[in-house]
Amino acid sequence: MVTESGVVGHSYLFAYSRLMLPAMTSIVRELAPELAGRSVSPVCWMHDMRRRFRLLGTQGLLGMVISGIEMALWDALGKELGQPVARLLGGEAVALRAYDSYGLLDLPRDEAAIRESVASGFRAVKIKIGYPDAAQDVAVVRRVREIVGDDIELMVDYTQALDPAEACRRIERLCEFDLYWVEEPVAAEDLAGHALVRRTTRARIQTGENWWFPEGCRAAISASASDFAMFDLMKIGGFTGWMLAAGQAYAASLPVSSHLFVEASAHAMAVTPTGDWMEYLDLAGAILQDPCRPVDGRITPTGPGLGITWNEEAIARYAA
């Protein structure tokens, strides 16, 4: 978006599937007139949009687009004032600890990459599991623990792959590997299932990347669904929703980690009272002039704004 003074506000979204791109871009075009003539006030924007779509609801693509616009407004506001968003939120641009995030591994092909993560300074690594059988889960986690050693935190993510009974069975077999957390072992919306797994196993359960707006956080806390909270800026409601959810997490003593959007999430994590780990997964580096890179396993928010500026040549090359 472009302000009357010529400042450009940037943000990006993750559609999960190419099939969703036309619908999301259509929503952006339909909402664009709502921005004309408004002040650059991201909190007011979010509150106005949630009131306007109260009957429809803002979960799903609409909420993702609204949150993306909210993030772009924060970026424009920060650039207008010459300050990083973390400073506008009352914090500082501090170095935040991050874990290197992997998908399903193909061992031994991926061993070198994991060793490089540790050598570069990461003090934590996350891998996805949920292989066809529990024995393969155990074998992969055992090998990764051997590679990283006992001093590196190791997280695993089931990506909602199991039912509660199978989750309990598999997780018990993984406890010997001193896992920092087990993420989304069951369907994200199954808060009762998460609570059951949490009560039944010895593992610490992580969920939250699929909580929609602060109300999703409230529901999960009420259900005792998780030992942690993981916020996704695109789903929690941009910075406006994040700050409201962070207050709930603080009151419930839940450590908060980020999901995706490393450039913007760093600003939110810098002002989160119970901030825990940042996820490092570079979605946008290929199209940014100055990609966000970890230094000694830490991420520092940059500015002004969110520190995002497009590489226009790359944008043209990758445009769908």
Side-chain angles (χ1 to χ4, degrees), residues 309-320:
T309 304
W310 301 141
N311 178 332
E312 296 295 347
E313 180 179 334
I315 291 284
R317 185 164 67 251
Y318 292 120

Side-chain angles (χ1 to χ4, degrees), residues 218-229:
R218 180 181 64 197
I221 291 173
S222 297
S224 299
S226 186
D227 295 283
F228 302 89

Side-chain angles (χ1 to χ4, degrees), residues 269-314:
M269 285 290 289
V271 294
T272 299
T274 56
D276 194 16
W277 288 95
M278 283 203 60
E279 178 178 42
Y280 179 69
L281 189 59
D282 184 16
L283 292 181
I287 58 170
L288 298 180
Q289 286 188 11
D290 298 300
C292 182
R293 301 292 186 224
V295 177
D296 295 329
R298 290 181 175 269
I299 300 291
T300 302
T302 61
L306 299 178
I308 294 176
T309 304
W310 301 141
N311 178 332
E312 296 295 347
E313 180 179 334

Side-chain angles (χ1 to χ4, degrees), residues 39 45 57 79 93 122 150 183 235 243 248 290 304 307 315 319:
S39 63
W45 163 262
K79 289 174 178 173
F122 283 106
D150 295 334
E183 185 175 333
K235 294 182 178 180
M243 298 305 291
Q248 297 179 46
D290 298 300
I315 291 284

Side-chain angles (χ1 to χ4, degrees), residues 8 37 39-40 51 63 71 86 100 122 178 218 244 257 262 278:
V8 180
S39 63
V40 183
R51 281 195 297 268
M71 287 186 268
D100 209 0
F122 283 106
D178 188 27
R218 180 181 64 197
L244 292 171
S257 294
V262 60
M278 283 203 60

